[in-house]
Amino acid sequence: MQNTPLVTALLVNKTLNRRRFHVPAHAGLPLGNYFRALSQQLGFSADLLAVDLTELDGLDVLSIPEGCIAESQALTAERYGVAHTFYSINGTSGGLHACLLASFQPDDAVLIPRNAHRSIIAGLVLAGLNPVWCEPIWHPDWGLWGGVSPETVEQAFKENPAIQGVIITHPTYEGLATDLEAIAKLCKTHNKRLIVDEAHGALFVWHKAFPLSACELPEVISADAVVQSPHKTGGSLTQSAWVHLPKGSAISARRLQQALNHLQTTSPSYLLLASLDLASAWLASVDFQQAVQWQLLRIQRLERQLQGVPSVRLLRKTHLPVLAGGRPALDETRFYLRHATLSGETMAELLETERGLSYESCNPYGALYLTSFQHEEADFQAFADGFSWIHQYAIAEETQQKMPFKLVEQVLFTMPEVVLSPRNAFFHAEVETVDLAEALGRISAETIVRCPPGIPVLLPGERIQPSHLSLLGQSGTVTVQVIVQ
Ligand SMILES: Cc1ncc(COP(=O)(O)O)c(C=O)c1O
């Protein structure tokens, strides 16, 4: 049995049966009358509310952990083979913010692929960093951005020696891995920090069928921080995440704790913390190995079933270049599918409304579905049936056209000139809205994301150039918020 110190401490607290003269005010009971019925319908039962606690005697303190939280974090660190693990109750977003604060000095330049998650932009504002944007790999067969190539990173280091560190997204939302080892080696050789946004990679260390995790890099080329959202893939409650400092990290544990303490609430939810304790133990258990083995078998069967549907194409690792080290370049528990003629949005919406299959995300080219170790045989079968149905539907609707699976040309996109850092742009007081035609040469005050290109066209502080205007014009944008200089 795996140890769960936080859950044990909560269970002990429950047995004490004390009268509660402390927060939270619901005191472990559903709210009165009408609201009691509503909360019970929602499942806010007295059982659940009884453990909705925050820091109390015997339950440790998240900002200075010495008891059950410290023990649970240490166990997770041991299970992941890293030097330290810290629990975040504000997702990977909060964990990344703390990493940026703890790793860099104000005005440092940091290399970031343009498809980075938006929490990184907030981190740049908080830490006062200057982004050096680079282009990730474009996959025209799928209409997706992937990881960043080692060549792109090396070139950026040559062109911009002031870069102090790199933030990479590994894997991407759709499960595409980055050549971690090559980038980690480059970072060590050039003495740059490496922060890995592994929000979708909490399972990677647990099975060789997954891409390599940054936690598994050898100590001599270790990443400096790895942030994961077990709430996305590992079974903990929404919002809960953890930050790992691998052995060999250049970030001091004291400094990361300090940064987290500046950002996190002083009333952490023990539902979230206990769920991290449980997920960590579950992932390290034999039960999980069995569950994932079962999931992988069902996935293989589903792949075969989908191969029999001619108008549907499923992204698999065989479509991607092999990465060094023999681990897959794709998390194949994620199903990104294209339909020959239907847009990703239409396919996803039809399958949701007509077949009850809810999706994770979609774009004009394809849709993303996440399989889980919690899915049952019937879920996998419903998925396969849904895609057979969409094939028949498209034939009946005569949407099968002559050019199936059109390649998605990469949109001509100019990486904008960063005039003001995200922080300076954020604190710039005066902003005006101008017609698109008048925006040329001005500095954007807003984030504008369009698909295509599926990455931010403009971020606050960036100069608006002719190619940005034509891209925004195509998507029907008529006005832009710009900074008044
Ligand atoms: C790549 C990536 N990084 C970070 C995040 C933020 O994670 P969280 O929702 O746990 O804050 C997300 C969320 O979707 C993400 O996709």
Side-chain angles (χ1 to χ4, degrees):
M1 271 307 260
Q2 295 290 331
N3 216 345
T4 49
L6 244 153
V7 171
T8 307
L10 277 172
L11 290 174
V12 169
N13 177 279
K14 217 173 164 185
T15 59
L16 298 175
N17 225 2
R18 290 179 177 146
R19 287 184 198 282
R20 289 168 61 156
F21 289 93
H22 54 71
V23 294
H26 61 61
L29 297 168
L31 304 180
N33 303 330
Y34 171 70
F35 294 102
R36 179 173 308 217
L38 271 187
S39 27
Q40 279 169 350
Q41 272 174 36
L42 260 184
F44 285 3
S45 63
D47 281 350
L48 179 81
L49 294 172
V51 282
D52 177 37
L53 293 167
T54 189
E55 294 165 353
L56 286 176
D57 270 359
L59 293 185
D60 208 0
V61 177
L62 183 61
S63 55
I64 336 164
E66 289 172 341
C68 60
I69 296 178
E71 272 177 60
S72 179
Q73 292 185 151
L75 275 171
T76 304
E78 201 182 309
R79 290 167 183 150
Y80 275 81
V82 294
H84 303 277
T85 298
F86 300 81
Y87 289 168
S88 159
I89 41 166
N90 191 20
T92 284
S93 304
L96 284 168
H97 298 160
C99 287
L100 297 191
L101 281 177
S103 308
F104 300 106
Q105 295 295 314
D107 285 330
D108 276 356
V110 186
L111 183 68
I112 313 168
R114 191 71 174 180
N115 58 345
H117 185 256
R118 71 193 179 98
S119 58
I120 307 252
I121 317 275
L124 299 177
V125 172
L126 287 171
L129 304 176
N130 294 314
V132 176
W133 296 106
C134 64
E135 204 174 281
I137 300 165
W138 176 249
H139 295 275
D141 286 333
W142 304 97
L144 288 181
W145 294 101
V148 65
S149 75
E151 293 75 26
T152 301
V153 172
E154 192 163 24
Q155 185 65 23
F157 286 171
K158 261 193 212 141
E159 285 170 9
N160 201 331
I163 288 171
Q164 298 295 319
V166 183
I167 305 167
I168 59 167
T169 310
H170 166 84
T172 63
Y173 202 8
E174 292 80 12
L176 284 84
T178 296
D179 192 346
L180 262 186
E181 280 194 66
I183 291 177
K185 275 184 199 152
L186 279 171
C187 287
K188 275 288 179 277
T189 312
H190 294 267
N191 197 22
K192 316 285 186 198
R193 297 257 164 117
L194 175 61
I195 314 287
V196 183
D197 172 356
E198 227 176 73
H200 300 279
L203 300 188
F204 288 6
V205 301
W206 298 110
H207 205 286
K208 298 274 184 268
F210 291 111
L212 185 80
S213 163
C215 296
E216 297 173 276
L217 288 168
E219 198 170 328
V220 281
I221 55 162
S222 77
D224 293 293
V226 187
V227 192
Q228 298 173 334
S229 288
H231 76 87
K232 293 184 190 295
T233 56
S236 65
L237 293 183
T238 299
Q239 240 178 274
S240 61
W242 46 50
V243 184
H244 303 296
L245 294 187
K247 294 168 188 160
S249 164
I251 303 172
S252 101
R254 186 197 62 82
R255 186 132 181 88
L256 185 63
Q257 181 72 70
Q258 212 178 17
L260 282 164
N261 294 354
H262 284 321
L263 300 168
Q264 303 222 75
T265 171
T266 50
S267 312
S269 156
Y270 273 66
L271 289 177
L272 298 185
L273 293 175
S275 80
L276 286 170
D277 194 39
L278 281 172
S280 165
W282 150 251
L283 293 174
S285 71
V286 178
D287 284 359
F288 172 72
Q289 283 300 321
Q290 284 168 351
V292 88
Q293 209 54 47
W294 187 92
Q295 184 188 359
L296 293 171
L297 282 173
R298 291 303 170 281
I299 283 174
Q300 280 171 13
R301 191 198 298 165
L302 187 52
E303 286 168 356
R304 287 195 295 276
Q305 287 170 304
L306 291 171
Q307 272 164 14
V309 185
S311 60
V312 171
R313 195 172 280 174
L314 169 65
L315 175 61
R316 294 290 83 181
K317 63 180 181 222
T318 44
H319 298 115
L320 301 170
V322 176
L323 296 181
R327 293 282 282 273
L330 181 74
D331 170 359
E332 292 195 320
T333 62
R334 286 173 184 242
F335 275 52
Y336 178 79
L337 296 120
R338 287 191 75 188
H339 188 274
T341 54
L342 298 176
S343 75
E345 290 110 337
T346 305
M347 175 176 77
E349 273 162 37
L350 277 168
L351 284 167
E352 186 164 79
T353 50
E354 302 298 321
R355 306 295 301 194
L357 299 177
S358 57
Y359 56 96
E360 172 64 24
S361 68
C362 60
N363 62 41
Y365 322 112
L368 177 68
Y369 296 83
L370 310 186
T371 69
S372 155
F373 45 75
Q374 299 285 57
H375 282 137
E376 296 180 353
E377 193 67 57
D379 300 311
F380 280 99
Q381 194 52 51
F383 194 87
D385 292 345
F387 280 88
S388 302
W389 174 84
I390 200 102
H391 174 70
Q392 297 302 333
Y393 170 91
I395 292 174
E397 295 291 307
E398 295 180 341
T399 63
Q400 309 284 31
Q401 295 157 1
K402 292 176 203 95
M403 283 187 56
F405 298 113
K406 268 201 267 182
L407 282 189
V408 187
E409 296 282 333
Q410 182 170 354
V411 171
L412 275 182
F413 174 73
T414 317
M415 207 56 88
E417 174 198 354
V418 180
V419 185
L420 294 174
S421 70
R423 183 181 177 84
N424 287 343
F426 176 79
F427 284 109
H428 209 288
E430 258 199 281
V431 167
E432 63 178 331
T433 303
V434 297
D435 287 342
L436 193 58
E438 293 164 27
L440 191 63
R442 304 289 301 268
I443 301 170
S444 173
E446 60 177 326
T447 298
I448 306 181
V449 186
R450 291 285 178 273
C451 193
I455 47 179
V457 177
L458 286 165
L459 291 169
E462 296 181 343
R463 173 103 55 213
I464 302 169
Q465 294 160 14
S467 67
H468 304 134
L469 287 189
S470 51
L471 204 52
L472 296 179
Q474 280 165 27
S475 66
T477 307
V478 285
T479 56
V480 190
Q481 284 179 27
V482 294
I483 280 169
V484 177
Q485 287 169 292

